[in-house]
Amino acid sequence: VQAVFRSNLSHLLELMGSGKESLIFMKKRTKRLSAQWALAAQRLAQKLGDTRRDHKQILVHIGFLTEESGDVFSPRVLKGGPLGEMVQWADILAALYVLGHGLRVTVSLKELQSNLGVPPGRGSCPLTMPLPFDLIYTDYHGLQQMKQHMGLSFKKYRCRIRVIDTFGTEPAYNHEEYATLHGYRTNWGYWNLNPKQFMTMFPHTPDNSFMGFVSEELNETEKQLIKGGKASNMAVVYGKEASIWKGKEKFLGILSKYMEVHGTVYYESQRPPEVPAFVKNHGLLPQPEFQQLLRKAKLFIGFGFPYEGPAPLEAIANGCVFLQSRFSPPHSSLNHEFFRGKPTSREVFSQHPYAENFIGKPHVWTVDYNNSEEFEAAIKAIMRTQVDPYLPYEYTCEGMLERIHAYIQHQEFCAAPGPAPPGAHAPQSPFVLAPNATHLEWARNASVAPGAWPLAHSLRAWLAAPGRACTDACLDHGLVCEPAFFPFLNGRDAFLKLQVPCDSTESEMNHLYPAFAQPGQECYLQKEPLLFSCAGSSTKYHRLCPCRDFRKGQVALCQGCL
Ligand code: U2F
């Protein structure tokens, strides 16, 4: 059966249930964005023409909102607590619904059990029962609940699960045996999923899938109106919780010499002591009013926390410049409490790396806040800069629909694992050395397995410099790392064609393999497909890296991958 686009979201609002503040926030958002979703559906339908779209039965189980996992978020919705996750879940639900799939939404263990067909009163079902869903979207909390209550079915069906995971899970932390042996400690468990089953909020870890969310879009008239109505000396501070403002008096002082400073900090009865008297604090605003404030402001300024939230994208979409601090040294799970225990080794070089790397100037300025002169100079320069509202395509409704459509249609983790990594006796790889002899590319006459996705023709492979992760090595060439292509490279043949002088070749479990170690002239192949990883580096190795092209404004998809 084919899926049919939907343009009326009122039934979705019913599916979302009610009661909790978090659900109320999400439903208001969905309602407000209804027209935008409908328009995007129309455009994507036109773009896809008669492309096949299979209809799926989908369960969305939002684990962090269940009482059983403590639901610490709902009570803080109106008090300045995190909203990013709710923004994202609301948009995921809207996208799945608009794409025309069959949808169930659960936010309690009881509902989960009844949808899974677990007999009432039974903690868990020991038998495997048929699962009435093709796909399940959940989070780490939900995953734990499913494992506890699905019995043997969990193992059988976990390939149908997608885990919404803001900051991502790198392969080395996902593989239980490897993580345990090598000290990749996490607070979230080891699930041995295909790393692409983890879906992130920003496209930061190509080992995972980029899910994202949307921002409100402006039409041309609104854009003109906003540009005309900006107050060139109005700044809004990023941070709805008072703690974010603590110790920032110096920057606030400098900023207030030039601009009128506004805030949206939650407070109970009195101004929080962290917020200086010269700040015009509006209190935590409902989302539409927050957008209105951004429309008038010239500058949206971050003080280092929260990391990677939606608000800077909204600010930039509403024509603000986003000013943020560079982190030097970078923040990571090794040196910052917030990232400690998270299953990633990623180093974060600024408050919002996506804004810095994918958007950049004139919309985004990343400066060293420890250097007051640099900070002050940036503010002065920003006041003189004219910017247009800007929203990357991947954060529009159409972009999000396009991406999720592609995932649903093409990502397949349940099929029996493909051919084992070729190893030392690999058949000829489908590559040839490029004419300039720097990298491998797909041989013209090589065939690709039907249904393989992403399309292997987009592949280019490099031997990276020692100490360079594949994530970065690919970016150096204007490409992204594509872990799905590792198996093609995991053989002696690829090294041979790249003219790497391997004295010997060994196959081991190591998330940095395939790689070449200079001192011993040794080539290493990957023994465990789950450990293929774009992330990770060591000065000991030149990693062999699979890269691919991507669509402009839609980094998740290769150019021919729709
Ligand atoms: C991020 O969560 P946050 O909720 O701190 O992210 P923000 O960027 O502040 O934005 C969340 C939404 O809050 C809205 C705004 C954004 O869509 O429109 N909002 C509002 O409704 N009223 C206001 O007065 C101000 C903002 C991130 F998303 C999470 O994944 C992380 O867990 C968290 C910590 O790093 O940061």
Side-chain angles (χ1 to χ4, degrees):
V1 186
Q2 292 238 35
V4 180
F5 280 107
R6 296 191 182 99
S7 55
N8 182 341
L9 276 73
S10 45
H11 178 56
L12 171 62
L13 295 174
E14 283 166 38
L15 286 176
M16 287 167 78
S18 56
K20 290 172 185 284
E21 278 311 331
S22 44
L23 293 174
I24 296 172
F25 173 88
M26 288 163 63
K27 286 170 77 169
K28 275 190 195 154
R29 174 176 177 82
T30 306
K31 210 167 166 179
R32 199 171 63 249
L33 297 181
S34 287
Q36 193 173 309
W37 282 113
L39 192 63
Q42 246 176 44
R43 291 197 187 129
L44 184 63
Q46 231 165 43
K47 185 168 177 180
L48 292 179
D50 50 10
T51 308
R52 193 176 167 76
R53 294 200 308 112
D54 298 324
H55 179 270
K56 305 279 184 187
Q57 280 305 336
I58 300 179
L59 172 67
V60 176
H61 177 61
I62 312 178
F64 80 101
L65 291 183
T66 62
E67 296 302 326
E68 291 79 5
S69 77
D71 188 14
V72 289
F73 280 56
S74 298
R76 295 176 60 206
V77 166
L78 298 177
K79 301 191 169 184
L83 297 174
E85 281 75 5
M86 279 157 244
V87 164
Q88 190 183 27
W89 278 107
D91 295 350
I92 292 170
L93 285 171
L96 295 172
Y97 188 80
V98 166
L99 284 170
H101 299 292
L103 208 55
R104 284 296 176 87
V105 187
T106 58
V107 288
S108 75
L109 189 56
K110 219 169 110 195
E111 294 166 306
L112 173 70
Q113 285 174 309
S114 89
N115 275 285
L116 292 175
V118 175
R122 288 275 285 281
S124 127
C125 181
L127 304 168
T128 53
M129 60 239 172
L131 183 72
F133 299 101
D134 304 303
L135 280 168
I136 300 179
Y137 289 81
T138 189
D139 52 17
Y140 263 115
H141 297 284
L143 198 57
Q144 187 64 45
Q145 293 170 346
M146 285 178 205
K147 185 180 172 181
Q148 259 165 23
H149 297 277
M150 281 171 76
L152 294 177
S153 300
F154 181 76
K155 214 168 167 181
K156 181 168 175 197
Y157 293 120
R158 66 181 176 180
C159 57
R160 299 191 191 177
I161 297 177
R162 306 292 180 265
V163 184
I164 304 303
D165 169 17
T166 307
F167 297 96
T169 297
E170 289 174 9
Y173 297 78
N174 167 57
H175 190 274
E176 181 161 18
E177 186 192 337
Y178 186 75
T180 315
L181 277 173
H182 296 92
Y184 291 101
R185 207 184 62 80
T186 101
N187 296 337
W188 302 96
Y190 315 93
W191 295 88
N192 298 310
L193 298 179
N194 183 314
K196 283 278 181 198
Q197 288 175 262
F198 295 99
M199 307 187 113
T200 58
M201 193 139 166
F202 287 92
H204 48 60
T205 304
D207 292 307
N208 302 144
S209 302
F210 159 49
M211 170 55 82
F213 57 92
V214 304
S215 179
E216 275 169 68
E217 291 163 51
L218 306 172
N219 61 32
E220 281 312 314
T221 330
E222 287 168 319
K223 279 186 193 165
Q224 288 312 323
L225 221 70
I226 285 178
K227 271 177 78 176
K230 285 266 176 208
S232 66
N233 65 342
M234 176 176 165
V236 176
V237 173
Y238 184 13
K240 41 190 154 53
E241 225 167 22
S243 61
I244 294 171
W245 295 59
K246 205 167 163 203
K248 310 296 175 197
E249 300 81 5
K250 195 172 105 198
F251 311 122
L252 285 164
I254 298 175
L255 181 61
S256 69
K257 286 204 303 193
Y258 301 94
M259 303 183 95
E260 185 181 283
V261 186
H262 293 244
T264 63
V265 187
Y266 167 75
Y267 63 94
E268 228 131 63
S269 52
Q270 280 168 354
R271 168 181 292 270
E274 295 86 346
V275 180
F278 59 76
V279 174
K280 188 167 176 356
N281 186 22
H282 302 260
L284 182 73
L285 292 176
Q287 236 186 354
E289 285 171 40
F290 179 61
Q291 306 283 329
Q292 290 306 325
L293 188 69
L294 293 173
R295 288 182 183 196
K296 283 186 254 152
K298 173 81 186 173
L299 174 67
F300 190 58
I301 178 169
F303 286 136
F305 195 81
Y307 298 109
E308 304 189 303
L313 288 191
E314 295 167 0
I316 296 162
N318 283 299
C320 299
V321 170
F322 176 51
L323 175 63
Q324 63 163 351
S325 58
R326 170 166 295 125
F327 297 154
S328 174
H331 296 184
S332 75
S333 50
L334 294 178
N335 63 9
H336 262 257
E337 203 42 53
F338 183 83
F339 288 110
R340 191 156 297 150
K342 290 198 167 53
T344 172
S345 67
R346 191 165 66 107
E347 296 185 304
V348 176
F349 288 84
S350 60
Q351 181 175 2
H352 206 296
Y354 179 86
E356 180 184 3
N357 301 321
F358 285 71
I359 303 180
K361 275 188 181 163
H363 307 279
V364 179
W365 296 55
T366 305
V367 307
D368 177 6
Y369 279 28
N370 291 324
N371 181 338
S372 304
E373 279 155 31
E374 194 183 332
F375 178 74
E376 192 160 346
I379 292 172
K380 286 201 259 184
I382 288 167
M383 289 178 75
R384 292 191 303 264
T385 317
Q386 271 287 332
V387 294
D388 289 331
Y390 174 66
L391 181 62
Y393 178 73
E394 53 207 356
Y395 283 98
T396 64
C397 290
E398 187 185 332
M400 184 166 180
L401 288 175
E402 179 184 271
R403 188 167 62 247
I404 300 192
H405 147 71
Y407 290 154
I408 291 180
Q409 195 61 32
H410 299 290
Q411 285 188 330
E412 167 59 83
F413 306 115
C414 292
H425 305 292
Q428 288 257 312
S429 72
F431 296 107
V432 290
L433 191 65
N436 64 3
T438 58
H439 62 279
L440 297 180
E441 50 188 39
W442 197 257
R444 281 226 179 113
N445 55 1
S447 58
V448 195
W453 194 84
L455 295 175
H457 299 99
S458 59
L459 178 47
R460 309 263 180 285
W462 268 269
L463 195 67
R468 201 95 183 119
C470 288
T471 317
D472 302 321
C474 292
L475 287 177
D476 292 343
H477 298 286
L479 301 168
V480 282
C481 178
E482 177 49 76
F485 294 155
F486 269 116
F488 296 123
L489 296 178
N490 196 38
R492 261 172 52 187
D493 188 57
F495 284 103
L496 210 74
K497 284 190 175 143
L498 265 173
Q499 301 169 343
V500 179
C502 310
D503 273 356
S504 62
T505 310
E506 274 183 64
S507 182
E508 285 171 15
M509 252 173 41
N510 186 322
H511 71 290
L512 305 177
Y513 296 172
F516 170 64
Q518 198 118 48
Q521 305 263 55
E522 206 155 349
C523 289
Y524 293 99
L525 304 180
Q526 178 61 264
K527 206 169 166 181
E528 167 57 69
L530 282 182
L531 283 176
F532 283 130
S533 173
C534 292
S537 67
S538 152
T539 47
K540 224 178 116 187
Y541 300 115
H542 291 268
R543 300 193 57 197
L544 185 50
C545 300
C547 314
R548 65 159 166 81
D549 61 20
F550 54 91
R551 302 164 77 92
K552 199 168 170 285
Q554 183 72 287
V555 70
L557 303 181
C558 75
Q559 278 172 15
C561 277
L562 205 50

